[in-house]
């Protein structure tokens, strides 16, 4: 039985075809050439040129099951799925051609051959394939200027498609060499050579090795200009962002310290910047010629190593034709129909008529004009400026021919990536709605509102919003691509700070509860200076209305103890004397209570520029005070912050019922570590709607952040300049003063960071009564009855003033930071802090009537002693108002320094190490102020000397009192500070 074989031969001419099998008197074979599919009759030597085919009925025409031969990695089923020929189908040479093309076009094979074998029952198709080898390894030898990870990132960006486990493709290898050559050129290795070595790994794999010879480093040499008459070379070099040397800008001798790496691909770009520098100065027709370069050896001596300079230098010469300098004659508009207010259109351009024409400002005006049209739905706006010149007056007139296009409406707004967050939660933050006129500004503002939720990764309009226009219908569909953050947060936080000391806390928070936007949080912190437990819930949209409602229950305990805080933060004892300790306001405050808050976004006001909210909160708390020294106790017992109560009763049962209306406005691009934007926060605390304290405390805070354009140091982002201005004041009303714990104490890492926490505030003299033991010159105490020691010693009551930090009623604080991102979550910053905490309202240091009577009613002194009892005491009347000590009020504080900020992933808080130098501080000797004169003047009986008996013990005790209570106070704030903390300044 004879069989006939027909073969489809390989497309590639480099692979030898399989020999045809001859049988019978002749053979018919199919062959595929590189260009087309043709039917070539292969004849036996004795057969004539024109073959004679046997009758069709002699050969079966039904296909058997197709056989696949030679596949290794690609499954047989995948190959068969590509074929159009199926078992049982009639044989068709046209379909066979499609089968071949289908397999070859996959790009998986180096050789494809289809052979036909006729059998008595059917036609057998045998598919022979040879797969392209798989890349098992990619190695880089001699590559030092760039890292392998950067190479892989660039391959991905340029879509090279060359990766381990991908199929070997010589075209992709050549493409990879080109990209690698470009990268080395960008890093100064213009003469680098790359040779690719391919090693076969049996049975069907290869290993690629890129052998790199980087060659000498090429730096930019001299930059010169030819033809510049009116613009200095320094100005032109300054405009070259890519190739200009690194140094101190605008300096005479330090401007060109370090040469930049030469990158030929950036030269044309810098030449265009030079031309733009001319156009910014009115030279509208200025042109730059083709830059000329000259490669030379570096030569000379390196000033830093004092060794001969190595490598190559490229000198650059840019020819320039300056042309004439023009002023702006005017800007007119034509073709505008929808927006026909030419005055409003002209206002988009900052360059005034008669000023030197500035092309950069004009370009920004065109962008602003485009945005203005985008606010009204004209997203196809095209503005074409046509210049005309008045050569006699050197004026340029620009007419902007406006093609407004069609006004577009929003058809659909869809979201992707929100697997947890409901669509309605996102949609309610969108200020642009379906069916409305498309508004580009409202779209940007909507993304800003979404970013401030902190539910998603930062959204950008040019990357995360797709627009699909239907020109015929005048509609646009929006697709917002979201990337959700983790909804639940269970974490550990802790660290050391001046406010809280060393602390450790556990928190649970879900910022998107059930995907509906609610926030449920539970917090617990335990530390040396603070303890806090709280549970809160916040509903951002109450009953689907833009009104938020939050409730929080809390129990707190804070030690306001600057001395202890100093010891904790520095890891050592403060080593303060008793006299120094007495100056500090040290107390413990325990509070329990609840807070209810509500707020609503203002959709009309500030709608075009940011997110504005008004809020109202109510807080009810019950507090108790434990003082750590007598001065602090006197402060709480003396001030009239609770009517009708004096003494220790003022330290317990302090009920604060506080209503706080607030307003906030924000355009910050993100909640944590903002790069741009501003925000304003205004709050007015009013205590007295219930409770037993009455005071007001308004606060205004403004922040703003500027990304430093052209200073994007790495992939982590731009350098950022930020500042904060904070103003606050406090005062009592209704016959009461503000309680001591509500007064303002400056200093600390949240304020002016070079000073100790709560240490930068005015001082006052607190009147008090002390008992001084009558002491003999030999140091022994005088007993009341020598025969009965149980009666104790003679004690003389005397009036004294004690210096105490009382806090201020007004504070102004400003902070400036320049932040430089180093790597992910690590930032270096320079800072300047300024603070001024002072007393401006004398009435806010009024003593309570009951408290004042307790020190005015006793008799002071013991000029006569009879049988151990004192006689002849006198009354002393203290003033109703405490006096701020001169020299401690209106004292500015300033800190300059640098800090390293690290966001710790475990504690989820910024860890900061900073050094601060304090050029402005309080540094003086303060004279003591006695309650009564030291000695009596003529005719005066009320003096300290008359409070003691005219005896040896009395005279000696008097001198002791003068020495102890009359000595000067030494106030010394630190000149420099080195600290670490877990907190933010602003």
């Amino acid at each position: 039985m004879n069989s006939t074989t027909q073969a489809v031969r390989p497309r590639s001419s480099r692979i030898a075809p399989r020999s045809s099998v001859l049988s019978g008197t002749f053979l018919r074979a199919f062959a595929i050439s590189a260009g087309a599919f043709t039917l070539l009759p292969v004849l036996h030597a004795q057969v004539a040129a024109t073959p004679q085919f046997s009758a069709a009925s002699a050969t079966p025409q039904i296909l058997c099951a197709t056989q696949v031969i030679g596949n290794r990695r690609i499954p047989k089923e995948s190959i068969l799925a590509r074929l159009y020929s199926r078992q049982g189908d009639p044989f068709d040479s046209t379909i066979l051609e499609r089968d071949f093309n289908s397999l070859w076009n996959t790009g998986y094979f180096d050789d494809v051959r289809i052979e036909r074998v006729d059998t008595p029952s059917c036609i057998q198709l045998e598919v022979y394939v040879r797969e392209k080898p798989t890349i098992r390894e990619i190695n880089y030898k001699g590559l030092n200027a760039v890292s392998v990870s950067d190479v892989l990132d660039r391959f991905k960006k340029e879509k090279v498609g060359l990766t381990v486990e991908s199929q070997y493709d010589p075209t992709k290898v050549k493409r990879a060499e080109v990209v690698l050559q470009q990268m080395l050129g960008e890093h100064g290795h213009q003469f680098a050579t790359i040779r690719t070595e391919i090693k076969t790994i049996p049975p069907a794999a290869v290993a690629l090795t890129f052998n790199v010879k980087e060659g000498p480093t090429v730096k930019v040499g001299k930059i010169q200009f030819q033809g510049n008459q009116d613009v200095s070379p320094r100005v032109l070099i300054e405009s070259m962002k890519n190739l200009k040397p690194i140094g101190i800008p605008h300096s005479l001798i330090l401007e060109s310290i370090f040469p930049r790496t030469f990158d030929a691909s950036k030269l044309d770009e810098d030449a265009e910047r030079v031309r733009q520098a001319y156009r910014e100065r009115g030279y509208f027709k200025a042109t730059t010629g083709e830059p000329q370069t000259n490669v030379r050896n570096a030569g000379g001596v390196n000033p830093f190593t004092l060794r001969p300079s190595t490598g190559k230098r490229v000198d650059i010469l840019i020819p320039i034709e300056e042309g004439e300098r023009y002023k702006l004659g005017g800007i007119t508009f034509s073709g505008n129909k929808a927006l026909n207010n030419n005055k409003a259109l002209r206002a988009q351009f900052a360059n005034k008529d008669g000023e030197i024409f500035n092309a950069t400002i004009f370009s920004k005006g065109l962008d602003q004009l485009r945005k203005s049209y985008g606010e009204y739905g004209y997203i196809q706006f095209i503005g074409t400026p046509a210049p005309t010149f008045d050569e006699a007056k050197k004026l340029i007139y620009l007419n902007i021919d406006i093609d407004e296009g069609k006004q577009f409406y929003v058809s659909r707004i869809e979201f992707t990536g929100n697997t947890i967050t409901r669509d309605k939660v996102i949609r309610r933050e969108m200020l642009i709605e379906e069916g409305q006129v498309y508004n580009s500004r409202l779209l940007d503002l909507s993304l800003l509102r979404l970013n401030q939720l902190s539910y998603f990764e930062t959204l950008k309009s040019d990357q995360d919003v797709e627009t699909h226009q239907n020109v015929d219908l005048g509609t646009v569909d929006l697709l917002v691509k979201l990337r959700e953050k983790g909804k639940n947060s269970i974490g550990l936080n802790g660290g050391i700070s001046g406010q809280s000391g060393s602390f450790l806390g556990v928190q649970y928070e879900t910022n998107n509860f059930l995907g509906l936007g609610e926030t449920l949080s539970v917090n617990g912190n335990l530390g040396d200076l603070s303890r806090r437990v709280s549970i809160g819930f916040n509903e951002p949209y109450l009953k689907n209305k833009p009104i938020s409602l939050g409730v929080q229950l809390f129990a707190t305990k804070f030690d306001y103890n600057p001395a202890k805080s100093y010891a904790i933060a520095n890891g050592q004892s403060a080593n303060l004397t008793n006299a120094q300790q007495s100056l500090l306001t040290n107390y413990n405050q325990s509070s329990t209570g609840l807070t209810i808050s509500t707020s609503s976004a203002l959709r009309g006001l500030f709608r075009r520029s940011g997110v504005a909210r008004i809020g109202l909160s109510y807080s009810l708390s019950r507090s108790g005070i434990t003082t750590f020294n007598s001065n602090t106790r006197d402060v709480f017992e003396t001030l009239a912050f609770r009517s009708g109560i004096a003494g220790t009763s003022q330290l317990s049962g302090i009920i604060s019922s506080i209503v706080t209306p607030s307003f906030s406005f924000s355009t910050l691009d993100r909640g944590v570590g903002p790069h741009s934007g501003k925000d304003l926060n205004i709050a007015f605390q009013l205590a007295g709607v219930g409770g037993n304290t009455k005071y007001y405390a308004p606060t205004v805070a403004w922040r703003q952040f500027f990304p430093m354009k052209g200073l994007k140091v790495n992939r982590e982002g731009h350098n950022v300049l930020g500042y904060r201005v904070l103003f606050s004041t406090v005062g009592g009303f209704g016959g009461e003063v503000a309680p001591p714990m509500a007064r303002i104490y400056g200093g600390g890492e949240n304020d002016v960071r070079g000073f100790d926490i709560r240490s930068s505030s005015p001082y006052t003299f607190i009147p008090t009564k002390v008992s001084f033991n009558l002491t003999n010159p030999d140091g022994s105490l005088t007993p009341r009855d020598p025969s009965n020691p149980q009666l104790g010693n003679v004690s003389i009551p005397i009036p004294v003033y004690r210096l105490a930090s009382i806090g201020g009623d007004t504070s102004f604080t400003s902070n400036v930071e320049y932040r430089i991102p180093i790597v992910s979550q690590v930032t270096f910053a320079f800072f300047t802090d300024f603070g001024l905490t002072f007393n401006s309202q004398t009435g806010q240091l009024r003593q309570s009537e009951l408290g004042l009577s307790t020190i005015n009613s006793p008799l002071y002194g013991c000029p006569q002693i009879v049988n151990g009892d004192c006689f002849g005491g006198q009354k002393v009347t203290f003033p109703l108002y405490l006096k701020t000590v001169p020299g401690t009020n209106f004292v500015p504080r300033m800190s300059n320094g640098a800090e390293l900020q690290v966001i710790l992933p475990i504690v989820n808080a910024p860890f900061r190490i900073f050094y601060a130098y304090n050029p402005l501080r309080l540094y003086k000797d303060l004279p003591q102020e006695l309650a009564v004169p030291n000695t009596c003047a003529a005719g005066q009986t009320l003096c300290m000397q008359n409070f003691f008996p005219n005896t040896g013990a009395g005279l000696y005790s008097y001198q002791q009192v003068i020495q102890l209570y009359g000595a000067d106070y030494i106030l010394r704030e630190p000149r420099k500070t080195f600290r670490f903390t877990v907190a933010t300044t602003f």
Side-chain angles (χ1 to χ4, degrees), residues 205-242:
V206 294
L208 301 182
T209 300
F210 292 97
N211 294 299
V212 180
K213 291 185 178 180
E214 294 183 341
T217 303
V218 181
K219 298 283 187 179
V220 177
K222 296 179 181 179
I223 302 177
Q224 296 177 320
F225 305 92
Q226 186 179 49
N228 61 310
Q229 302 295 328
D230 298 329
V231 182
S232 69
R234 290 181 63 201
V235 173
L236 299 178
I237 292 175
E238 177 64 24
S239 67
M240 299 173 66
K241 303 298 183 183
N242 297 318

Side-chain angles (χ1 to χ4, degrees), residues 772-792:
F772 190 86
N773 290 323
L774 189 63
T775 307
N776 297 309
D778 61 0
S780 63
L781 302 180
T782 303
R784 296 181 61 184
D785 185 355
S787 63
N788 187 3
Q790 299 297 327
L791 296 178

Side-chain angles (χ1 to χ4, degrees), residues 555-573:
T556 64
K557 186 176 183 180
F558 281 94
D559 284 356
Y560 297 103
N561 190 337
K564 187 176 180 181
S565 168
Y566 178 87
I568 294 171
N570 288 274
Q572 60 184 3
S573 173

Side-chain angles (χ1 to χ4, degrees), residues 123-293:
I123 297 175
Q124 176 76 56
L125 294 181
E126 295 180 352
V127 179
Y128 292 84
V129 296
R130 186 170 67 193
E131 297 176 356
K132 289 183 176 180
T134 302
I135 300 175
R136 295 298 184 201
E137 297 179 9
I138 301 179
N139 302 309
Y140 302 86
K141 289 185 178 180
L143 185 65
N144 299 310
V146 293
S147 65
V148 175
S149 61
D150 289 338
V151 171
L152 297 179
D153 290 342
R154 179 65 70 87
F155 282 178
K156 183 177 180 181
K157 180 179 178 181
E158 299 290 342
K159 299 180 181 179
V160 174
L162 188 69
T163 60
V164 175
E165 298 302 324
S166 65
Q167 288 186 329
Y168 169 74
D169 187 339
T171 304
K172 293 181 179 179
V173 173
K174 291 298 180 183
R175 172 65 176 154
E177 291 178 359
V178 171
V179 173
L180 192 55
Q181 187 87 42
Q182 291 174 350
M183 292 187 67
L184 291 171
E186 293 171 6
H187 288 76
H189 297 278
Q190 303 290 329
F191 302 100
T193 59
I194 301 172
R195 182 177 59 84
T196 305
E197 179 182 336
I198 304 171
K199 181 181 179 181
T200 302
I201 302 177
V206 294
L208 301 182
T209 300
F210 292 97
N211 294 299
V212 180
K213 291 185 178 180
E214 294 183 341
T217 303
V218 181
K219 298 283 187 179
V220 177
K222 296 179 181 179
I223 302 177
Q224 296 177 320
F225 305 92
Q226 186 179 49
N228 61 310
Q229 302 295 328
D230 298 329
V231 182
S232 69
R234 290 181 63 201
V235 173
L236 299 178
I237 292 175
E238 177 64 24
S239 67
M240 299 173 66
K241 303 298 183 183
N242 297 318
L243 303 180
K244 69 177 180 180
I246 301 172
I248 301 176
H250 311 298
S251 66
L252 294 177
I253 60 175
L254 300 177
E255 223 173 22
S256 306
I257 302 177
F258 303 104
R260 286 188 187 267
T261 299
F262 178 73
D263 184 356
S265 64
K266 301 292 180 63
L267 183 55
D268 289 339
E269 185 179 316
D270 268 355
E272 177 60 26
R273 286 196 174 99
V274 170
R275 189 178 77 91
Q276 188 65 17
Y278 269 97
R279 289 167 58 86
E280 289 177 355
R281 291 162 176 79
Y283 297 90
F284 184 80
K285 296 182 179 180
T287 60
T288 56
E290 184 70 24
Q292 302 172 16
T293 59

Side-chain angles (χ1 to χ4, degrees), residues 535-550:
I535 180 171
F537 180 80
N538 183 70
E539 168 57 67
Y541 273 73
L542 186 64
K543 294 185 177 179
N544 289 326
K545 295 183 178 180
I547 299 175
S548 69
L549 179 65

Side-chain angles (χ1 to χ4, degrees), residues 712-979:
K712 189 172 182 180
V713 294
N714 54 34
R715 69 183 65 182
E716 302 304 324
H718 292 276
N719 294 356
V720 176
L721 175 66
Y723 73 90
R724 176 187 70 168
V725 177
L726 175 66
F727 175 82
S728 58
T729 185
V730 64
F733 65 92
E736 298 181 11
V737 302
M741 61 274 196
R743 296 181 64 82
I744 305 170
Y745 297 84
E749 63 267 15
N750 306 108
D751 193 311
V752 184
R753 65 197 86 181
F755 295 84
D756 296 334
I757 187 76
R758 297 171 59 86
S759 66
S760 304
S761 63
Y763 289 84
T764 188
F765 285 117
I766 302 292
T768 187
K769 183 184 83 168
V770 299
S771 296
F772 190 86
N773 290 323
L774 189 63
T775 307
N776 297 309
D778 61 0
S780 63
L781 302 180
T782 303
R784 296 181 61 184
D785 185 355
S787 63
N788 187 3
Q790 299 297 327
L791 296 178
N793 304 315
V794 176
S795 180
I796 301 177
I798 59 173
V800 298
Y801 280 117
R802 284 178 170 168
L803 187 68
S805 173
I806 193 65
D809 57 43
T810 306
S811 176
F812 172 81
T813 304
S814 65
N815 310 94
V816 179
E817 276 192 3
Y818 186 83
R819 301 171 181 171
I820 305 172
I822 306 301
V823 295
S824 178
Q825 307 299 325
V826 179
T827 301
F828 183 79
F830 296 99
F831 65 83
T832 293
D833 300 332
F834 176 85
L836 184 63
T837 302
F838 55 93
N839 284 323
S840 61
Q841 309 172 60
T842 57
Q844 290 303 312
L845 293 179
R846 184 172 56 83
Q847 301 185 77
S848 67
E849 298 290 345
L850 291 177
L852 188 61
S853 65
T854 58
I855 57 174
N856 283 342
S857 57
L859 296 177
Y860 293 92
C862 186
Q864 299 177 18
I865 301 175
V866 179
N867 295 327
D869 294 328
C870 292
F871 292 92
Q874 302 180 63
K875 283 194 173 183
V876 177
T877 303
F878 290 96
L880 179 61
Y881 295 95
L882 301 178
K883 181 177 66 173
T884 302
V885 177
T888 67
N889 204 16
F890 299 101
V891 177
R893 273 85 169 181
M894 176 181 281
S895 292
N896 300 324
E899 74 175 32
L900 186 67
Q901 306 168 357
V902 181
I903 303 298
L904 301 179
I906 298 177
V907 301
N908 195 27
F911 176 80
R912 299 158 56 204
I913 302 175
F914 64 86
Y915 171 85
Y917 177 80
N918 305 325
L920 300 179
R921 57 178 178 146
L922 179 63
Y923 190 91
K924 67 181 303 179
D925 296 339
L926 187 67
Q928 174 64 282
E929 183 172 329
L930 298 175
V932 295
N934 184 7
T935 59
C936 291
Q940 183 181 7
T941 60
L942 186 62
C943 62
M944 187 65 69
Q945 186 175 5
N946 286 345
F947 287 170
F948 293 87
N950 191 16
T951 63
L955 294 176
Y956 179 79
S957 298
Y958 164 69
Q959 293 297 331
Q960 291 290 315
V961 167
I962 295 302
Q963 182 179 358
L964 181 61
Y965 294 105
D968 292 349
Y969 288 97
I970 301 175
L971 303 179
R972 299 287 188 268
E973 291 180 339
R975 173 64 74 182
K976 54 188 177 181
T977 302
F978 181 77
R979 297 271 175 86

